[in-house]
Every structure is written in C-alpha cells, then in structure tokens.
Amino acid sequence: MEQTGETPSEPRIVVGGALVHGGRVLAARRNAPAAVAGRWEFPGGKAEPGETEPQALERELLEELGVRARALRRLPGAWTVRPGLELRFWAAELLDGEPRPLEDHDELRWLGPAELDGVDWIEHDREVLPHVAELLVAAGDAQAAR
C-alpha cells in the first residue's frame, strides 16, 4: 500500500486572516457560493499540500486581495467547516498594497473595534470576533504609545 503522508484523521486546513492595519481589521463580503453570498468573513482559503498555515494565508491574501501580508500568530480556536475541513484564524499585518476584492468577494471594509458587530458575519468568523477585538485594542494601544 502506498504511503501518501496524509491520514484520514488529519483534516485539510482552511486559514482565515484577521488582516490588521492602522488599528482596524479587514472584512470581506462574499459573492459566492449562494449559501454565504452577501455575508462577511475574514479572507483566506485552503492550505495546499506541503504549505504551512502562514504560507497559505500569505498566498491567499495575495490572490484574493492583491496585497502582501505577513501571518503573525494563530488565534485561539478551530472550527469544522464540514467533515475533513478545519478552519483556523491567524492575525496578519499588511506589508504592501491596497486591498481590492479580486476573488470571491465584492466589497471590503476596514472595521474598528466598535464596528465589528456592524456586518453580517459568517458564523465561524463571528465566533473569533472576541480575539480579533483584542488584537485591535492592542494595536490601538501600540499606536497610542508611539
């Protein structure tokens, strides 16, 4: 029997990025599939075989938004999107570029801590909002200290 390096118990990873810049986080409105069209998420996508989670997030943000970003740290929690597919969120910082909705999204918004509840989040993304709010408060504190 050929060894593939994958076991059935290991889910495929999907990474979502809480892209923080200037004390705000980027939210992206889905335009497909129909089940989630019009709802908001943190951009990202599936990790490819052999890719680390940070590499996958950085690639996905470049493909979906046209920006260079750096994955900083994984946020607490993991969610089963469907059997065999697990969603994990990462904090990320914008390095270069102005985000544009190139793939899978039709609108982008930068949200501050008080605005996080102002959009209709996809359920999994809503569940990570307390951790994202902590990131934004910390980012705001760091800016104030400069």
Side-chain angles (χ1 to χ4, degrees), residues 66-88:
V67 297
R68 298 194 57 76
R70 178 178 21 240
L72 300 173
R73 67 178 174 87
R74 188 170 156 204
L75 300 177
W79 293 265
T80 300
V81 176
R82 61 178 182 262
L85 201 59
E86 183 175 283
L87 175 61
R88 300 175 182 175

Side-chain angles (χ1 to χ4, degrees), residues 22-100:
R24 298 165 81 78
V25 68
L26 189 71
R29 189 173 67 185
R30 296 285 311 198
N31 58 6
V36 293
R39 300 193 67 199
W40 295 79
E41 70 175 358
F42 295 108
K46 294 179 185 89
E48 298 295 336
E51 239 179 358
T52 66
E53 290 176 39
Q55 289 169 336
L57 180 62
E58 293 166 7
R59 175 186 51 75
E60 286 286 346
L61 294 176
L62 183 60
E63 290 173 2
E64 289 187 3
L65 306 173
V67 297
R68 298 194 57 76
R70 178 178 21 240
L72 300 173
R73 67 178 174 87
R74 188 170 156 204
L75 300 177
W79 293 265
T80 300
V81 176
R82 61 178 182 262
L85 201 59
E86 183 175 283
L87 175 61
R88 300 175 182 175
F89 291 99
W90 282 73
E93 67 179 336
L94 180 65
L95 298 177
D96 186 49
E98 183 64 36
R100 299 177 321 280

Side-chain angles (χ1 to χ4, degrees), residues 93-116:
E93 67 179 336
L94 180 65
L95 298 177
D96 186 49
E98 183 64 36
R100 299 177 321 280
L102 302 176
E103 278 186 22
D104 304 324
H105 305 103
D106 62 2
E107 186 179 336
L108 304 175
R109 287 188 194 166
W110 289 103
L111 303 174
E115 300 167 302
L116 290 176

